[in-house]
Amino acid sequence: MVLLDGKKTSNVIKDEIAVEVQKMKDQGERVPHLAAVLVGVDGASLTYVGSKVRACERVGFESTLIQMPDTTSEEELLQKIKELNESKVIDGFIVQLPLPKQIDEQNVLNAVNPSKDVDGFHPENFGRMALDMESFIPATPFGILQLLERYQVETKGKHTVVIGRSHIVGRPMSILMSQKGPAGNSTVTLTHSHTKNLSEITKQADIIIVALGVPEFLTADMVKEGVVIVDVGISRVPDASKPRGYAIKGDVEFEGVSEKASFITPVPGGVGPMTIAMLLKNTLIARERQLS
Ligand code: GUN
């Protein structure tokens, strides 16, 4: 079994990005600048956004964190997005999800300038991605493709089963893995809460991508020998023995499944760090598109 080490691979990618940033500096260009908008005080979101901002420092980007109270109205958030769209110095920005319930998520995502939409969540970018056109690929799917490619996992002609149809991971993943190109050319089955006999399907899979948010959902009896496992889940499960009072669990029952897998991502240290590295990569791309 080979561990698909997202921490190590993301560090390699960040080093590659840092080299490009240094080149920009050497040429007297402004370095890429990422902004993140966080509405409310959700603990997990605060952790994620903090990691994104720290990662910017590591590669030499400028970063701005905009925190807004959880009483923020949709109008106030849309005004902030307008400012960021018009800013001459912000190359890309994200609005951390989920948003408080008084705010319509789709209205917010639709308001982001597609050329600054480094999350790749705007309908224009999603549509362009689906049509193989230049776009921003959402960071988590982009990170998974990179991990598979850099570990030379064969995807061509393989049966990939995606569990979960979220707009952020499952749906784009199912499109990308069936496309031509690196980490593509797979035969894809997209499964979800209405799928019947899920185990029968997962047992036929060469590659399984689980993005459900249900801790330890995928168990050893559901997979075949030699399967490739990508675990996108990251849940906080109460655990009194841990200093923070919780443990981080993926969607895969790691101990059992890893005995059958040929490749598997750990949680933490698998897909999570790759997401952050690819958000930086998208921000670098946004800056480079301005320069070209
Ligand atoms: N919430 C969970 N994942 C993501 C992500 O990739 N981007 C943003 N903006 N919010 C998220």
Side-chain angles (χ1 to χ4, degrees):
M1 182 272 289
V2 174
L3 215 51
L4 294 168
D5 187 338
K7 197 161 166 43
K8 195 168 96 188
T9 309
S10 68
N11 281 330
V12 172
I13 293 171
K14 284 187 221 165
D15 287 344
E16 292 167 5
I17 294 170
V19 169
E20 296 307 313
V21 173
Q22 190 56 49
K23 279 188 203 160
M24 284 181 179
K25 276 188 184 163
D26 292 346
Q27 287 162 8
E29 298 291 353
R30 187 174 58 70
V31 300
H33 188 160
L34 174 71
V37 183
L38 178 62
V39 187
V41 288
D42 178 70
S45 290
L46 201 55
T47 308
Y48 299 149
V49 171
S51 306
K52 290 170 185 179
V53 169
R54 272 194 307 281
C56 283
E57 285 165 21
R58 157 99 153 66
V59 298
F61 285 7
E62 294 285 339
S63 66
T64 299
L65 172 59
I66 298 152
Q67 282 190 273
M68 302 177 80
D70 58 10
T71 50
T72 302
S73 68
E74 187 173 311
E75 201 183 342
E76 285 165 329
L77 181 55
L78 291 174
Q79 179 54 38
K80 180 55 72 182
I81 289 172
K82 187 164 180 282
E83 285 168 29
L84 293 167
N85 282 340
E86 288 168 2
S87 165
K88 295 272 190 292
V89 293
I90 304 284
D91 302 293
F93 66 96
I94 64 159
V95 180
Q96 187 66 27
L97 305 177
L99 290 167
K101 54 183 178 322
Q102 72 274 18
I103 300 176
D104 183 289
E105 199 167 283
Q106 199 60 55
N107 284 348
V108 169
L109 299 180
N110 289 355
V112 176
N113 178 344
S115 68
K116 293 190 177 188
D117 171 39
V118 287
D119 255 336
F121 293 168
H122 189 282
E124 183 176 314
N125 277 316
F126 200 98
R128 292 178 67 93
M129 175 206 70
L131 294 168
D132 287 320
M133 296 165 75
E134 185 178 280
S135 69
F136 289 109
I137 299 174
T140 299
F142 197 7
I144 294 169
L145 294 182
Q146 282 289 313
L147 210 46
L148 295 173
E149 194 183 337
R150 289 177 187 241
Y151 275 86
Q152 298 179 341
V153 174
E154 181 64 85
T155 57
K156 186 166 65 179
K158 301 293 181 185
H159 182 198
T160 294
V161 172
V162 179
I163 308 178
R165 56 181 159 180
S166 73
H167 293 171
I168 296 182
V169 187
R171 186 79 55 82
M173 212 57 234
S174 70
I175 294 168
L176 292 161
M177 298 256 342
S178 69
Q179 282 179 337
K180 291 177 183 164
N185 292 311
S186 214
T187 303
V188 177
T189 304
L190 178 57
T191 68
H192 46 76
S193 52
H194 291 277
T195 298
K196 295 202 168 70
N197 303 322
L198 179 65
S199 265
E200 296 311 309
I201 299 168
T202 54
K203 272 190 245 173
Q204 293 170 27
D206 301 308
I207 301 168
I208 304 178
I209 297 165
V210 205
L212 207 57
V214 180
E216 304 189 312
F217 174 83
L218 190 80
T219 48
D221 58 307
M222 297 171 75
V223 307
K224 72 176 181 188
E225 205 65 48
V227 67
V228 176
I229 301 286
V230 177
D231 185 352
V232 188
I234 175 161
S235 303
R236 293 180 175 190
V237 177
D239 183 341
S241 73
K242 302 281 179 196
R244 290 197 177 100
Y246 63 83
I248 299 290
K249 292 274 179 204
D251 288 353
V252 176
E253 197 278 297
F254 187 88
E255 226 174 270
V257 174
S258 61
E259 282 185 15
K260 289 173 114 177
S262 55
F263 294 87
I264 186 166
T265 58
V267 177
V271 174
M274 291 300 292
T275 296
I276 294 179
M278 301 327 286
L279 176 66
L280 299 177
K281 178 77 178 174
N282 277 342
T283 307
L284 178 68
I285 292 170
R287 181 79 190 105
E288 285 172 344
R289 283 184 189 155
Q290 287 179 353
L291 291 171
S292 63

